[in-house]
Amino acid sequence: MNRDNLGDVPSQNFREQLHELADWIADYREHIDGMPVAPTAPAGSIQKALPATPPEEGESFERIFSNFESVILPGVVHWSHPEFMGYFGSTSTAPGIEGEILSAALNVNAMTWRTCPAATELETIVIDWLRQWLRLPDEFGGVVYDTASIGIMHALAVAREEASTEIRKRGMTGRSDVPQFRIYTSDQTHSSVEKAAIALGLGEDNVRRVRSDSEFRLDVSALEKMVAADLAQKMRPLAIVASVGTTSTASVDPIREIARVCRRHKMWLHIDGAYGAGLALLPEHEWVTAGWSEADSIVVNPHKMLFVPFDFSVLYLRDLERLRRVFTLVPEYLRADTVEAEKNYMDYGVQLGRRFRALKAWMVFRTFGRIGIAARIREHLRLAQLLATWIKSDSHFELAAPVVMGVVCFRFIANDELSRRSGAKADTLAGIDSTVDINSAIAESINASGKAYLTQTKLNGRTTMRIGLGNVLTTEEHLGRVWNLIRETAEKISRTKPTTDDSALL
Ligand code: PLP
């Protein structure tokens, strides 16, 4: 290869390509609602369309970009589509995208202060702005990770270290002085608790799932009984994980009462506010912060509610030094770059290399301000309540959980179930195929249509459709279209399916 061609793409070409990409991204955002929400091609089609062997010769931008449009794009689920209402709302925003572009251009590693002072200091600033918005006391300090699952793993690692002796140094294996630790959480909490227990050698079975009440909040009396039973067996209650905004229904656990149990038994209190903690930015929802000041740790994902693009998760600890004590370890080659007095975020977790994530959050927070962010969340809450009123006014549908945040869980009720409820004989009940569930079929049919996207979950053993609102591009008109699609799809499926919804089977 000619030595003249060994550098990067020539700057004039790069400039032209960037202009093309800038236009492409702006067009994508502007016209996204004209695209199918999710791919309709079968599994494996993308792999089939691409060569299985790596390129020997370099290829042109034009060719690669044309493949991006013809092969990759059709296989994308457009999380930013205004009618994508699955999981927790997509929170991509223009300032967030701009921040991602700049951070890709800078390509710094934020492991120590010296490796990029701006990345470290901006991370500290953004974490503290968010702390103030969340109304957390100033004794809480934080660190940015990719996800809440990583956050809880680090929080429980600190809990484990503080509850026993020298696990960091001596480990747990071969020791008779390490008790059997137990972690308690509700049957609604995200599975990241078990993942953390697996990673930390605490064991999946030592995560005790406490039943929740009729509104999907942890039942504190059941918790107390479980703790007492474990103590009687000489186990060591280590931590309680309480949720502010559970995955299925966005329910909020009674944190104050849970904190009391933690205090009594000297247990760590971790709050999973991955989705719901963002609600604290709305003064009228200050209730959501009750008991937070008693927590040892709390995780919040601004990529779920606060309009920062994926990924951006913050773990706060009361006294961040506790986290540093467990994870600080300086490899020899970094000694010259590491000064104790400087903040080195590599000391606050297992990850050494770290992206400059704070830049996009800083740009989003500054562009909208607290008032702008709160107003957008308020609109999503309004849309969720509006959908709830549409559901309540249609006799073929029912809400499956209280609507607390931007999440609506609801079910279609088939004709035979309606008759059964009103006491009439439901002849279609005979010969039901219990494997077919109409609510699941509706959600799958909608998702396969490419017109909208929703999630299904199980509540009290019954399949439930679930809509998550949180995308700045979603309007009342989009929601109305999705609601009509749900009704039409339910109508069509209930006419053609020889079965009923699964509530009749309970
Ligand atoms: N906590 C809650 C309430 C969630 O809903 C989720 C995922 O959606 C998580 C934690 C895990 O999130 P992450 O993907 O950031 O690990």
Side-chain angles (χ1 to χ4, degrees):
M1 204 171 165
N2 185 335
R3 294 239 314 264
D4 293 344
N5 294 338
L6 290 186
D8 203 350
V9 169
S11 57
Q12 186 53 31
N13 298 16
F14 180 49
R15 186 177 301 278
E16 285 162 17
Q17 290 160 12
L18 277 181
H19 281 291
E20 195 178 325
L21 289 185
D23 279 338
W24 188 93
I25 293 169
D27 285 344
Y28 175 69
R29 293 285 288 170
E30 198 173 331
H31 304 295
I32 191 168
D33 57 359
M35 306 187 84
V37 183
T40 48
S45 9
I46 297 145
Q47 277 175 273
K48 227 183 272 163
L50 295 170
T53 51
E56 194 64 12
E57 302 269 351
E59 297 180 64
S60 69
F61 172 82
E62 289 70 26
R63 209 172 127 70
I64 299 166
F65 193 64
S66 143
N67 266 193
F68 166 76
E69 288 194 298
S70 63
V71 181
I72 306 297
L73 207 55
V76 167
V77 174
H78 295 283
W79 280 63
S80 296
H81 194 294
E83 287 164 40
F84 176 90
M85 296 181 185
Y87 312 100
F88 285 120
S90 161
T91 53
S92 188
T93 49
I97 294 168
E98 288 160 2
E100 282 284 22
I101 293 170
L102 288 177
S103 109
L106 297 176
N107 189 34
V108 298
N109 188 329
M111 53 188 171
T112 67
W113 179 84
R114 297 215 168 170
T115 58
C116 188
T120 299
E121 293 187 25
L122 196 62
E123 183 162 333
T124 305
I125 287 284
V126 163
I127 287 170
D128 202 61
W129 282 1
L130 184 61
R131 178 195 64 75
Q132 294 172 47
W133 279 348
L134 297 176
R135 301 155 204 270
L136 283 171
D138 58 14
E139 62 195 295
F140 279 80
V143 53
V144 174
Y145 296 132
D146 51 359
T147 57
S149 303
I150 295 300
I152 187 176
M153 188 195 75
H154 284 95
L156 292 180
V158 182
R160 187 187 64 173
E161 186 67 18
E162 292 186 2
S164 193
T165 45
E166 295 192 316
I167 286 181
R168 169 188 161 137
K169 201 171 168 54
R170 294 167 54 209
M172 296 198 296
T173 55
R175 288 178 64 177
S176 55
D177 60 332
V178 177
Q180 182 173 357
F181 290 117
R182 298 289 238 188
I183 299 161
Y184 307 85
T185 197
S186 96
D187 54 15
Q188 297 297 310
T189 307
H190 190 263
S191 52
S192 48
V193 188
E194 275 87 359
K195 281 270 186 95
I198 294 167
L200 295 170
L202 296 169
E204 193 179 349
D205 287 354
N206 287 312
V207 176
R208 307 291 287 149
R209 291 284 182 163
V210 184
R211 73 161 182 260
S212 53
D213 66 13
S214 60
E215 298 193 3
F216 308 103
R217 300 166 301 198
L218 183 140
D219 179 333
V220 179
S221 61
L223 166 73
E224 284 181 305
K225 281 192 199 124
M226 235 180 220
V227 173
D230 283 351
L231 282 169
Q233 304 254 339
K234 305 260 177 295
M235 292 170 180
R236 171 77 163 87
L238 176 69
I240 302 179
V241 179
S243 299
V244 173
T246 53
T247 307
S248 284
T249 69
S251 58
V252 178
D253 286 335
I255 309 271
R256 278 216 179 98
E257 287 129 73
I258 293 171
R260 246 175 262 136
V261 181
C262 282
R263 266 201 311 274
R264 201 172 323 128
H265 298 289
K266 298 195 170 40
M267 294 160 80
W268 185 280
L269 173 57
H270 176 76
I271 298 178
D272 179 352
Y275 167 63
L279 203 64
L281 271 70
L282 281 66
E284 68 272 30
H285 284 285
E286 196 179 344
W287 64 270
V288 86
T289 66
W292 289 10
S293 59
E294 307 207 34
D296 292 285
S297 55
I298 175 166
V299 74
V300 52
N301 281 7
H303 71 235
K304 280 185 166 41
M305 196 190 277
L306 299 178
F307 313 116
V308 179
F310 189 73
D311 50 14
F312 190 88
S313 178
V314 186
L315 173 71
Y316 289 96
L317 252 87
R318 176 204 307 287
D319 183 6
L320 197 62
E321 182 56 23
R322 299 161 87 186
L323 180 62
R324 206 184 78 88
R325 274 199 294 269
V326 181
F327 286 102
T328 180
L329 194 136
V330 182
E332 204 46 56
Y333 74 97
L334 280 176
R335 272 198 201 285
D337 263 344
T338 311
V339 178
E340 278 264 339
E342 295 162 1
K343 188 132 200 169
N344 300 308
Y345 277 110
M346 69 168 189
D347 284 344
Y348 298 83
V350 292
Q351 204 180 346
L352 173 67
R354 310 174 68 257
R355 298 183 62 220
F356 190 178
R357 292 194 181 86
L359 189 58
K360 62 184 170 184
W362 181 66
M363 291 180 71
V364 171
F365 293 172
R366 287 190 63 180
T367 301
F368 298 139
R370 195 216 32 98
I371 291 172
I373 293 175
R376 286 168 175 80
I377 297 172
R378 207 171 279 123
E379 172 62 3
H380 298 144
L381 300 182
R382 183 188 76 80
L383 291 178
Q385 291 299 335
L386 181 66
L387 175 61
T389 62
W390 293 341
I391 290 164
K392 282 192 262 185
S393 62
D394 186 323
S395 62
H396 267 293
F397 288 86
E398 65 183 2
L399 284 177
V403 179
V404 186
M405 301 186 196
V407 170
V408 184
C409 293
F410 60 101
R411 314 185 71 248
F412 174 73
I413 317 162
N415 273 331
D416 51 354
E417 169 61 5
L418 272 182
S419 326
R420 197 174 69 91
R421 288 183 187 188
S422 64
K425 188 173 177 305
D427 34 290
T428 50
L429 278 177
I432 285 170
D433 172 6
S434 65
T435 60
V436 179
D437 172 358
I438 197 162
N439 278 277
S440 180
I442 297 166
E444 275 174 26
S445 165
I446 288 170
N447 293 353
S449 75
K451 291 183 185 154
Y453 199 100
L454 36 132
T455 315
Q456 5 173 344
T457 185
K458 274 221 154 108
L459 293 174
N460 298 322
R462 293 155 66 170
T463 305
T464 299
M465 288 182 272
R466 176 190 176 286
I467 277 192
L469 293 151
N471 182 348
V472 286
L473 301 180
T474 302
T475 62
E476 187 172 327
E477 202 185 326
H478 293 116
L479 184 63
R481 267 212 296 272
V482 172
W483 173 233
N484 285 337
L485 179 67
I486 293 168
R487 290 167 74 189
E488 284 160 21
T489 311
E491 227 260 308
K492 212 182 302 161
I493 291 180
S494 65
R495 260 194 282 113
T496 53
K497 277 231 179 308
T499 185
T500 183
D501 67 313
D502 61 358
S503 61
L505 304 168
L506 293 177

